[in-house]
């Protein structure tokens, strides 16, 4: 999930009386969405065995036992309190992320998904993804996860090289990484392997071997991430020796050629899929769809006919549990302004290598595409995007300088 900074405070629900709804039409700068986008559900599990030195996600080391039941009770309260925001809307995908959700007991996961089905109208063939780390793989537990309704795993392999796993601070070794994929294959017909490249002291040959090992398992989906030094991480404070820009570029070229030769579609900056196996949950993010995020530190984006709301939950598990028990787990909330809408939309959709239809901008923002004409013209003039009446997409140059391209839409 792409974290987005949220500002503001308080908790609001969409007005339900005819009078208050009518007032929305009088608000200056109100949006006009003809239809609401697809809705996904994100559930955050905040604990992990050990915090990795490169990780900037909301994860907390589980020192001894963690309060699983108390947390699940808080998640239920959170979901119940959020229902007025999404009345009548069907949920098409569910993603359980972390942290390390596979630390959850089989009983706890079953309870969680039973709660989701009880409280929400879930699409009959909904994609239900769970993140899992190799150090937590137990065959029987994962059979139970599958029986409870998880139909897609996203496995945080990162590397099949023992030395690189040690440098990344992972709790598993290369043998456990291989065994995790084998267990996934035996129980799931849909899974994703997360790999990283440009690792400390990694050579092109080693990156190539990692990818070849991953492909040997014929995964339906691959996520291939360039290691970056994120603020407020151990690696940011004590940076390791990383491959230089030329070596990293060689690895990117190798990945593009190797995955294409293996029949994978490179459909998003870091995502590669066999035909028909794209990640539906993340596609909804990248197409500026809606998502309700519950759990510690989770983010939401919820559309209404005349406004789009962003929320963030309390990050610390203890604070989140207490806030949910008190009736308001939302720490920060604000509406996306018209001035920020173009940037927020393009921040996501420009990650798609095939681009998007200009009509999607109007459908998801309630604004005309002419609202971002100036930066579109500037980006086209610099050769960063291609556009016609059917498509807007980043060029190969635009993909290489994606951050610069996205920044052009700030304040558009």
């Amino acid at each position: 999930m792409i974290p987005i900074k949220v500002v503001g405070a308080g908790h609001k629900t969409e007005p339900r009386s005819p009078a208050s709804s009518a007032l929305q039409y009088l608000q200056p700068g109100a949006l006009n969405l003809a239809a609401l986008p697809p809705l996904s559900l994100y559930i955050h599990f905040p604990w992990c065995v050990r915090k990795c030195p490169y990780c900037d996600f909301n994860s907390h080391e589980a020192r001894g036992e963690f309060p699983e039941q108390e947390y699940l009770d808080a998640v239920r309260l959170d979901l119940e309190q959020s229902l007025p925001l999404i009345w009548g809307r069907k949920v098409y995908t569910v993603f359980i992320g972390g942290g390390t959700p596979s630390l959850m007991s089989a009983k706890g996961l079953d309870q969680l998904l039973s709660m989701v089905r009880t409280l929400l109208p879930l699409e009959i063939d909904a994609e239900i993804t769970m993140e899992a780390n190799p150090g937590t793989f137990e065959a029987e537990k994962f059979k139970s996860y599958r029986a409870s309704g998880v139909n897609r795993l996203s496995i945080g392999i990162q590397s099949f090289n023992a030395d690189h796993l040690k440098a990344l601070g992972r709790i598993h070794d290369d043998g456990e990484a291989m065994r995790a994929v084998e267990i996934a294959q035996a129980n799931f017909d849909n899974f994703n392997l997360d790999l990283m490249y440009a690792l400390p002291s990694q050579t092109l040959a080693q990156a190539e071997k990692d990818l070849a090992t991953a492909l040997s398992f014929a995964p339906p989906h691959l996520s291939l991430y360039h290691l970056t030094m994120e603020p407020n991480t151990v690696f940011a404070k004590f940076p390791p020796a990383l491959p230089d820009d030329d070596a990293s570029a060689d690895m990117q070229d190798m990945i593009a050629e190797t995955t294409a030769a293996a029949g994978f579609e490179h459909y998003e900056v870091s995502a590669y899929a066999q035909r028909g196996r794209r990640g539906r949950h993340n596609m909804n993010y990248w197409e500026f769809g809606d998502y309700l995020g519950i759990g510690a530190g989770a983010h939401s984006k919820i559309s209404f006919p005349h406004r789009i709301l962003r929320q963030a939950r309390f990050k610390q598990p203890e604070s989140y549990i207490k806030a949910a028990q008190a009736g308001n787990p939302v720490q920060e909330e604000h509406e996306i302004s018209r001035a920020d809408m173009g940037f927020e939309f393009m921040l996501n959709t420009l990650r798609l290598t095939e681009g998007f239809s200009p009509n999607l901008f109007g459908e998801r923002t309630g604004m005309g595409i002419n609202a971002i004409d100036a930066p579109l013209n500037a980006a086209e003039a610099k050769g960063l995007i291609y556009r016609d009446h059917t498509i807007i997409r980043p060029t190969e140059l635009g993909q290489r300088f994606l951050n610069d391209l996205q920044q052009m839409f700030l304040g558009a």
Side-chain angles (χ1 to χ4, degrees):
M1 179 171 178
I2 303 170
I4 297 178
K5 187 177 180 181
V6 183
V7 295
H11 182 75
K12 295 176 278 186
T13 56
E14 181 69 359
R16 281 174 278 169
S17 71
S20 58
S21 293
L23 284 174
Q24 289 283 347
Y25 290 92
L26 304 177
Q27 295 290 331
L31 306 177
N32 187 21
L33 292 169
L36 300 182
L39 176 66
S40 295
L41 174 68
Y42 175 80
I43 304 169
H44 194 75
F45 182 87
W47 289 286
C48 57
V49 175
R50 184 171 66 214
K51 182 87 170 179
C52 296
Y54 58 84
C55 177
D56 69 337
F57 290 110
N58 184 39
S59 58
H60 306 266
E61 290 189 11
R63 303 183 186 280
E65 291 189 8
F66 52 87
E68 178 177 284
Q69 188 57 53
E70 191 178 14
Y71 186 74
L72 290 173
D73 290 343
V75 166
R76 184 183 185 103
L77 289 170
D78 185 359
L79 183 54
E80 288 174 339
Q81 292 155 15
S82 300
L83 292 179
L85 297 173
I86 56 169
W87 282 132
R89 296 182 64 180
K90 186 169 285 189
V91 172
Y92 291 90
T93 67
V94 178
F95 194 102
I96 306 166
T100 306
S102 48
L103 287 176
M104 208 181 319
S105 67
K107 179 182 176 183
L109 189 277
D110 190 63
Q111 179 184 336
L112 177 62
L113 290 182
S114 295
M115 171 223 307
V116 169
R117 291 191 190 93
T118 300
L119 296 176
L120 294 172
L122 200 60
E123 176 72 7
I124 193 165
D125 66 341
E127 176 190 88
I128 302 177
T129 303
M130 181 179 193
E131 287 184 336
N133 286 331
T136 65
F137 265 70
E138 301 163 21
E140 290 306 312
K141 186 163 75 167
F142 278 83
K143 285 180 184 176
S144 297
Y145 288 164
R146 183 68 184 90
S148 294
V150 172
N151 53 31
R152 184 175 183 268
L153 280 187
S154 183
I155 310 171
I157 298 292
Q158 313 314 353
S159 176
F160 290 99
N161 180 298
D163 291 336
H164 292 146
L165 289 169
K166 187 175 181 181
L168 290 172
R170 303 296 287 173
I171 64 168
H172 66 275
D173 59 24
D174 52 329
E176 288 173 306
M178 304 280 277
R179 181 171 174 270
V181 185
E182 290 166 358
I183 292 174
Q185 278 184 315
N187 294 283
F188 295 84
D189 61 2
N190 195 7
F191 61 93
N192 167 65
L193 301 183
D194 269 358
L195 287 177
M196 300 175 76
Y197 66 95
L199 305 178
S201 304
Q202 188 180 40
T203 65
L204 176 61
Q206 289 171 329
E208 196 167 6
K209 185 175 180 181
D210 261 355
L211 182 54
T213 303
L215 290 172
S216 72
F217 291 102
H221 194 282
L222 286 170
S223 297
L224 298 164
Y225 299 105
H226 189 296
L227 176 63
T228 55
M229 301 296 101
E230 300 292 348
N232 303 314
T233 63
V234 173
F235 272 5
K237 190 173 181 181
F238 305 104
L242 300 178
D244 62 25
D245 290 345
D246 288 341
S248 295
D250 288 342
M251 292 179 195
Q252 286 179 293
D253 291 341
M254 177 275 295
I255 288 168
E257 293 167 7
T258 305
T259 52
F264 281 74
E265 300 170 338
H266 182 199
Y267 68 100
E268 186 270 345
V269 173
S270 304
Y272 302 75
Q274 293 181 3
R275 188 173 299 278
R277 308 307 288 270
R278 296 183 180 190
R280 285 155 52 190
H281 185 87
N282 283 346
M283 276 298 295
N284 194 38
Y285 291 147
W286 297 322
E287 292 179 338
F288 209 52
D290 278 359
Y291 47 93
L292 173 64
I294 60 173
H299 290 243
S300 299
K301 171 192 169 277
I302 307 292
S303 299
F304 304 94
H306 307 293
R307 66 189 183 110
I308 299 178
L309 185 70
R310 282 206 182 276
Q311 295 178 329
R313 268 65 178 162
F314 285 88
K315 289 179 109 178
Q316 291 292 331
E318 298 81 4
S319 300
Y320 168 77
I321 290 170
K322 289 178 182 176
Q325 292 169 343
N328 184 11
V330 177
Q331 183 178 27
E332 302 173 341
E333 179 176 280
H334 81 292
E335 293 179 20
I336 303 177
S337 69
R338 290 180 70 91
D340 293 334
M341 195 69 68
F343 173 69
E344 295 243 3
F345 177 88
M346 298 299 275
L347 184 67
N348 290 281
T349 54
L350 284 172
R351 295 181 64 88
L352 295 169
T353 59
E354 296 169 0
F356 61 92
S357 164
N359 292 334
L360 186 68
F361 183 84
E363 291 171 11
R364 298 293 157 89
T365 68
M367 298 161 53
I369 191 71
N370 61 328
I372 55 170
D373 260 352
L376 281 174
N377 290 336
E380 187 175 25
K382 291 183 176 182
L384 298 175
I385 63 166
Y386 168 85
R387 63 170 171 159
D388 57 30
H389 66 286
T390 63
I391 199 76
I392 298 172
R393 61 172 173 78
T395 61
E396 186 175 335
L397 185 66
Q399 292 176 40
R400 290 277 184 177
F401 296 95
L402 183 60
N403 288 342
D404 296 327
L405 174 56
Q406 291 166 327
Q407 291 294 322
M408 294 177 72
F409 293 87
L410 262 176

